[in-house]
Amino acid sequence: IHTGIIMMFYNDVLIGNGTDAVFQQVEPVDESSVKKMILTFEKRSYKNQELRIKFPDNPEKFMEAELDLNDILQEMHVIATMPDLYHLLVELNAIHSLLGLLSHENSDILYYSELTDIDTLHESEEGAEVLIDALVSGQIVALLVQNMERLDEQVKEEADGVHNTLSIIENIAEFKPGLCAEAAQQGLMQWLLKRLKAKLPFDSNKLYCSEILAILLQNNDVNRELLGELDGIDVLLQQLSVFKRHNPATPEEQEMMENLFDALCSCLMLGANRDRFLRGEGLQLMNLMLREKKMSRASALKVLDHAMIGQEGSDNCHKFVDILGLRTIFPLFMKTPKRMKKVGISDKEHEEHVCSVIASMLRNLKAQQRTRLLNKFTENDCEKVDRLLELHFKYLEAVQLADKRIEGEKHDMVRRGEILDDGMEDEFYIRRLDAGLFVLQQLCYIIVEISSAGIPQLHQRVHQILNMRGGSTKVVRHILRG
């Protein structure tokens, strides 16, 4: 028996006895024929349900109704190409019946499908929005999660079903990002964490789970809090610990690793998760990754930056010094590793994260730990001060060059009588950041902090190099204020 388990507005993969189902193209239809189709579907769906309840132990009694239901579902695939008619599915209450098919009693009859391509949804924003809203209010994500719970991924067809289900969720999230919190609350976050933890070989489904998890956490404090409450920080750290001493085996596995790191960075934007990260020994793991010099090193540095930034990063800053993290971070400050470029990290990104970590420690550390950090700058005849000023002049030159170009463009605009609006000012500011303004500001903060820390050796060395290179503390302070 082959019955559709959902839906004409999905691109289809029909599973059955190892043979691929081929659907004939249907000629374009009008609103009237679509209405007729939907009403026929409703009748057949109701009849199938009725017979199944009446004869639960006698499949022969409802086999014909099941085949009829499948036939009308095949006809309805044509609606997938007509997003301007999606509203009819909602108006004629077909969504409830379609969602009902997700929990179809016959678990051997699984008809896996993907939501219409996101480009198709965008062809008719209005129609697609009506459909997506109806699906979400009908708890589609909860139903999809329940359906995935009963699938055995050791069976290829059922693993494909999970993959296609995840694509439906991804399309919903991409079309309407505001629904991410609701989707996560409908059991999706819990299922994703459980699937990531599952002791299964790495495959495309695990990669997909990591991707959707990262999407759910983007700019969403509700989901970040939920992940923390579900012990998700520990799950992420456990999954990432594999890459402490081993590089990902394939580009796909590397992509999954980066997704998990992105998810972790996103979670650390929330103060409560910084505590969970600290308790879960996340700092120790990142410190080891930085020392091991594997592919994970670049992302571990980014996580470290997120964990320490701002006042909420204070405990992590103190703990990092306690676990001898200064021995790890300063070699990365003194020399930008060539390997970073191989994993797609630019020198600027690396230097930005390292300087941000050191600046965060200078902001947050107190007492003995702060003294240990400042003493690092006095080692080996103040070589770290020399490096600090070397980076300062490198980024000062890059930003000044960008400023010169921007001023030239502004002058040309005034000459042409064009108005300089806020949008243009924002664009110019982004260009200054791209040139290295943020790194420069971090460097200037470090310079001010160490030269005013009451250590004559550091104060003298900073002023000596600034004078020698034609710089000044006035410029440094101006950059900090700007």
Side-chain angles (χ1 to χ4, degrees):
I1 305 170
H2 297 304
T3 297
I5 204 165
I6 204 173
M7 288 168 188
M8 67 297 117
F9 43 82
Y10 296 171
N11 297 329
D12 341 298
V13 182
L14 183 62
I15 307 306
N17 298 332
T19 60
D20 294 331
V22 180
F23 302 116
Q24 292 182 335
Q25 280 199 329
V26 182
E27 290 300 313
V29 290
D30 58 15
E31 190 167 321
S32 173
S33 57
V34 167
K35 282 182 179 177
K36 190 179 171 188
M37 222 181 274
I38 293 171
L39 291 170
T40 304
F41 161 71
E42 281 288 286
K43 284 177 190 169
R44 292 185 184 180
S45 177
Y46 179 75
K47 187 180 178 184
N48 176 256
Q49 196 177 9
E50 195 179 35
L51 290 172
R52 277 183 158 274
I53 292 166
K54 202 172 177 181
F55 306 106
D57 303 319
N58 196 348
E60 287 179 12
K61 295 281 188 184
F62 55 75
M63 185 186 290
E64 192 178 340
E66 205 131 285
L67 292 169
D68 287 344
L69 177 59
N70 189 59
D71 289 343
I72 190 63
L73 278 167
Q74 305 320 312
E75 281 184 51
M76 289 171 72
H77 290 304
V78 68
I79 306 175
T81 60
M82 306 171 77
D84 53 319
L85 295 181
Y86 284 174
H87 67 95
L88 294 175
L89 292 164
V90 180
E91 288 163 15
L92 297 173
N93 298 316
I95 296 298
H96 178 72
S97 302
L98 288 162
L99 290 174
L101 291 180
L102 271 172
S103 52
H104 200 283
E105 296 89 334
N106 191 342
S107 59
D108 295 329
I109 316 166
L110 292 176
Y111 176 18
Y112 304 117
S113 29
E114 297 178 5
L115 193 64
T116 311
D117 186 84
I118 195 72
D119 294 333
T120 310
L121 286 177
H122 284 300
E123 282 175 24
S124 173
E125 299 272 344
E126 198 178 327
E129 195 156 328
V130 168
L131 173 71
I132 298 296
D133 285 347
L135 289 172
V136 173
S137 64
Q139 301 273 303
I140 185 173
V141 178
L143 291 167
L144 290 170
V145 169
Q146 283 168 25
N147 205 41
M148 287 192 291
E149 289 277 9
R150 63 182 187 170
L151 299 180
D152 177 7
E153 289 188 65
Q154 310 284 356
V155 179
K156 186 190 179 301
E157 288 83 359
E158 300 199 10
D160 289 344
V162 169
H163 195 273
N164 291 337
T165 303
L166 292 173
S167 75
I168 295 167
I169 292 165
E170 183 188 25
N171 285 334
I172 290 173
E174 189 180 336
F175 183 75
K176 217 165 179 189
L179 297 173
C180 282
E182 207 170 330
Q185 297 286 343
Q186 287 183 25
L188 178 59
M189 180 77 77
Q190 209 157 358
W191 186 88
L192 289 171
L193 292 172
K194 185 180 163 188
R195 177 59 180 83
L196 286 169
K197 275 199 303 186
K199 294 193 184 329
L200 293 169
F202 172 77
D203 62 1
S204 60
N205 282 354
K206 188 166 185 177
L207 170 59
Y208 215 162
C209 286
S210 69
E211 195 178 318
I212 288 173
L213 186 64
I215 291 168
L216 289 180
L217 295 166
Q218 268 174 355
N219 308 315
N220 198 314
D221 278 348
V222 175
N223 284 352
R224 289 166 181 165
E225 181 61 42
L226 177 62
L227 180 131
E229 289 167 359
L230 293 170
D231 295 328
I233 300 291
D234 280 348
V235 173
L236 291 172
L237 291 173
Q238 284 160 18
Q239 292 305 305
L240 285 168
S241 65
V242 177
F243 305 109
K244 179 173 58 186
R245 293 196 172 91
H246 303 284
N247 281 331
T250 62
E252 289 75 22
E253 196 173 10
Q254 186 185 342
E255 191 184 336
M256 182 197 70
M257 178 185 81
E258 297 302 340
N259 288 337
L260 295 177
F261 271 120
D262 286 345
L264 187 54
C265 286
S266 198
C267 287
L268 291 172
M269 303 291 278
L270 200 70
N273 284 336
R274 308 243 186 126
D275 295 335
R276 292 175 176 123
F277 176 79
L278 179 64
R279 291 197 304 271
E281 300 193 345
L283 285 168
Q284 287 88 330
L285 178 60
M286 297 308 124
N287 195 33
L288 281 168
M289 284 178 167
L290 290 174
R291 289 183 182 179
E292 286 294 334
K293 303 179 183 178
K294 298 293 180 190
M295 272 186 189
S296 57
R297 178 162 66 165
S299 296
L301 182 60
K302 188 166 68 168
V303 169
L304 204 58
D305 186 3
H306 280 77
M308 293 182 169
I309 210 160
Q311 285 184 341
E312 290 165 327
S314 180
D315 289 346
N316 280 314
C317 287
H318 285 88
K319 184 67 177 179
F320 189 66
V321 176
D322 292 345
I323 62 169
L324 308 179
L326 297 180
R327 294 183 189 177
T328 311
I329 200 71
F330 274 105
L332 294 171
F333 173 72
M334 292 301 291
K335 188 178 179 187
T336 300
K338 288 192 174 82
R339 193 183 181 89
M340 290 294 184
K341 285 183 181 174
K342 288 182 186 173
V343 292
I345 301 294
S346 67
D347 286 358
K348 183 169 82 71
E349 283 175 275
H350 170 82
E351 287 156 10
E352 181 179 311
H353 290 307
V354 171
C355 293
S356 183
V357 165
I358 294 170
S360 289
M361 287 194 286
L362 282 166
R363 281 187 185 93
N364 286 321
L365 291 178
K366 292 181 173 59
Q368 185 195 355
Q369 281 101 332
R370 182 177 172 81
T371 304
R372 283 166 69 180
L373 174 62
L374 290 167
N375 285 341
K376 276 283 171 186
F377 285 94
T378 65
E379 289 175 358
N380 300 329
D381 192 27
C382 298
E383 63 176 7
K384 292 172 187 68
V385 180
D386 296 352
R387 172 65 171 163
L388 177 65
L389 273 297
E390 176 195 323
L391 288 170
H392 167 72
F393 284 107
K394 170 185 166 179
Y395 283 101
L396 179 63
E397 189 181 334
V399 172
Q400 285 174 338
L401 199 64
D403 286 346
K404 200 173 178 180
R405 286 198 193 109
I406 288 167
E407 284 308 312
E409 287 178 38
K410 284 182 179 178
H411 179 74
D412 290 344
M413 286 176 73
V414 171
R415 194 165 44 80
R416 291 194 299 267
E418 294 175 19
I419 297 168
L420 191 64
D421 59 19
D422 289 345
M424 285 300 294
E425 286 291 1
D426 289 346
E427 191 186 316
F428 288 144
Y429 183 65
I430 289 166
R431 278 169 55 184
R432 295 183 76 217
L433 287 174
D434 286 344
L437 178 62
F438 178 73
V439 196
L440 181 61
Q441 287 170 334
Q442 298 298 314
L443 289 160
C444 288
Y445 177 78
I446 298 168
I447 291 168
V448 168
E449 282 290 309
I450 66 167
S451 61
S452 59
I455 303 173
Q457 199 179 349
L458 297 180
H459 181 81
Q460 286 162 15
R461 189 57 156 254
V462 166
H463 284 267
Q464 181 191 351
I465 298 171
L466 282 174
N467 293 335
M468 196 168 64
R469 296 279 303 263
S472 72
T473 51
K474 195 180 284 185
V475 171
V476 170
R477 291 183 189 280
H478 173 72
I479 291 162
L480 261 184
R481 284 193 295 270

